[in-house]
Amino acid sequence: MKERLMTLQEEAVEKIEQASSLKELQDIRVEYLGKKGPITEVLRGMGKLPAEERPKMGQLANEVREVITTKVESKQEKLEREELDRQLSNETIDVTLPGRPIRQGNAHPLTAVIEEIEDLFIGMGFSVAEGPEVETDYYNFEALNLPKNHPARDMQDSFFITEDLLLRTQTSPVQARTMEKHKGKGPVKIISPGKVYRRDTDDATHSHQFMQIEGLLVDKNIRMSDLKGTLTLFAQKLFGEEREIRLRPSFFPFTEPSVEVDVSCFKCNGAGCSICKRTGWIEILGAGMVHPNVLEMAGFDSKEYTGFAFGMGPERIAMLKYGIDDIRHFYANDLRFLEQFKRA
Ligand code: 2NL
């Protein structure tokens, strides 16, 4: 019986050492130490032994069981450690790999130009004003000295929603609304950037929806020279310190007198080139002294107050500044176009 026990121990230890997985080890433990295993069997057979041998044999059987149990436990620990090491090495993170670049967007070129213009005027004490894109006939036309059936309305083909509502054709209604809120007391000093709409057929230089920035200054003793000085600074900020402006007589229903404003050509410095069509001058905006009718309708006494106003198309400014040849590029959302205007 003693020999049988020693053989079992040897056999079991051998198998345990060979075991290569936790499952295999578990099976070996059950095989040798389980209720139906050989050790239990040996212990059951003890009844047949002479009484004086029983304690010795019992002790030996327990020792064998103890040896196998300890072996299984240490082997189990070893296998578990190996499994963990394997997992850890499979899951290693290579911290030296370069990171994936985060795609960074940039401001739309129109947004960049509009914000540059806003910054300039904010720097001169103007505020930025906004208003509705769906406007009443009154604020879009009548309050700007364009009564119903006036022929000057033909200059702005419009999208009407009802008899009395339309998509604004200019941002001037924002100026009219702001003047009204001041209840006849100056100064009013605002610029109004925003979307405007005209019933035009889209081509390289026309769009049914485009941006406009208008400016308005109403106070006592505002003169044409204030307009010229303000717009000179504007032209120099956008097109270079050496620029000059020139005013040519024009007509707008809401200003009197009215002027077109040209900037000396930033490409040829006035000598004449293809950009300025050999004139040395580039038209950049329209302006004038606010018509007394417009001041009166908005609640200002035109004997006490005067003002200047101007309006420009940021698309045109951006096209000139960056040499863009088609207004439709601004609205096509083509990244090959948009990514060329990363702001510093
Ligand atoms: C242009 C010309 C202009 C104005 C806009 C204005 C607004 C009020 C009163 C008087 Cl409330 N004037 N705005 C004045 C002159 C010209 O725009 O060619 N824009 C693209």
Side-chain angles (χ1 to χ4, degrees):
M1 190 170 260
K2 184 179 166 189
E3 240 156 60
R4 167 102 177 105
L5 279 171
M6 294 323 288
T7 316
L8 280 173
Q9 179 176 318
E10 255 173 56
E11 243 182 63
V13 169
E14 169 91 20
K15 280 197 185 170
I16 291 166
E17 268 160 16
Q18 302 288 315
S20 60
S21 74
L22 286 165
K23 168 87 174 71
E24 214 178 302
L25 186 65
Q26 183 67 7
D27 290 345
I28 296 165
R29 197 178 63 84
V30 173
E31 183 187 339
Y32 284 89
L33 303 177
K35 282 202 184 89
K36 290 172 190 154
I39 311 256
T40 316
E41 201 178 299
V42 168
L43 285 169
R44 272 204 207 102
M46 292 237 296
K48 291 170 196 152
L49 288 178
E52 65 274 20
E53 284 188 32
R54 277 180 213 160
K56 259 179 107 183
M57 232 10 100
Q59 200 191 344
L60 186 64
N62 278 332
E63 276 172 18
V64 169
R65 198 215 297 270
E66 199 62 28
V67 168
I68 297 175
T69 307
T70 315
K71 276 275 170 197
V72 167
E73 279 169 1
S74 67
K75 181 73 179 185
Q76 177 165 350
E77 256 178 51
K78 186 164 175 264
L79 286 173
E80 280 172 354
R81 208 168 38 242
E82 282 172 6
E83 172 65 21
L84 184 64
D85 284 348
R86 208 163 28 245
Q87 276 184 17
L88 285 175
S89 73
N90 283 342
E91 289 169 12
T92 10
I93 296 165
D94 181 355
V95 293
T96 67
L97 274 178
R100 294 200 181 92
I102 296 167
R103 278 169 62 93
Q104 198 183 359
N106 52 276
H108 189 285
L110 263 182
T111 307
V113 165
I114 290 168
E115 286 179 359
E116 191 183 342
I117 295 169
E118 284 177 3
D119 285 349
L120 168 70
F121 282 103
I122 288 168
M124 291 193 277
F126 286 73
S127 306
V128 177
E130 289 183 14
E133 288 175 25
V134 176
E135 254 306 353
T136 59
D137 185 278
Y138 178 78
Y139 284 112
N140 193 78
F141 290 125
E142 282 194 51
L144 297 164
N145 205 27
L146 275 153
K148 284 200 164 65
N149 302 316
H150 191 286
R153 284 197 182 198
D154 289 351
M155 295 203 311
Q156 302 175 20
D157 283 344
S158 320
F159 290 114
F160 273 89
I161 294 162
T162 66
E163 272 287 290
D164 189 49
L165 281 179
L166 72 156
L167 297 181
R168 68 183 183 194
T169 57
Q170 47 195 357
T171 57
S172 328
V174 179
Q175 331 263 53
R177 286 171 180 277
T178 309
M179 278 192 283
E180 265 186 9
K181 284 202 196 99
H182 276 73
K183 301 202 178 303
K185 210 170 145 359
V188 181
K189 202 173 179 185
I190 55 167
I191 59 164
S192 56
K195 283 203 269 297
V196 298
Y197 304 81
R198 291 194 194 173
R199 213 206 63 82
D200 255 331
T201 303
D202 293 2
D203 63 23
T205 53
H206 295 84
S207 172
H208 61 281
Q209 180 199 300
F210 55 103
M211 302 296 291
Q212 199 180 32
I213 301 180
E214 284 194 31
L216 174 72
L217 171 54
V218 175
D219 207 349
K220 290 173 183 162
N221 300 313
I222 299 299
R223 297 172 306 220
M224 198 91 181
S225 54
D226 298 308
L227 172 67
K228 189 168 184 191
T230 304
L231 294 180
T232 300
L233 267 178
F234 163 77
Q236 290 173 344
K237 169 87 188 314
L238 261 94
F239 295 104
E241 293 289 327
E242 324 78 61
R243 299 284 79 81
E244 293 172 47
I245 63 167
R246 119 185 139 169
L247 308 184
R248 281 181 290 117
S250 184
F251 170 81
F252 298 108
F254 25 78
T255 44
E256 184 60 37
S258 303
V259 292
E260 300 289 345
V261 182
D262 298 340
V263 60
S264 56
C265 182
F266 53 86
K267 188 69 182 268
C268 63
N269 214 8
C273 70
S274 65
I275 295 199
C276 57
K277 297 184 190 100
R278 269 154 269 284
T279 63
W281 296 95
I282 302 171
E283 186 183 322
I284 53 167
L285 48 79
M289 300 308 290
V290 180
H291 197 292
N293 289 355
V294 174
L295 288 171
E296 295 287 342
M297 274 186 281
F300 279 83
D301 180 349
S302 62
K303 297 215 167 49
E304 203 184 347
Y305 282 97
T306 50
F308 69 69
F310 57 87
M312 70 183 93
E315 280 92 342
R316 180 171 162 75
I317 306 279
M319 285 167 83
L320 285 170
K321 204 167 147 75
Y322 298 118
I324 298 164
D325 61 2
D326 194 319
I327 196 171
R328 290 168 292 196
H329 284 311
F330 290 119
Y331 319 117
N333 273 339
D334 187 332
L335 290 179
R336 291 170 300 181
F337 171 76
L338 297 174
E339 284 178 343
Q340 294 178 48
F341 302 95
K342 293 199 196 296
R343 192 158 37 173

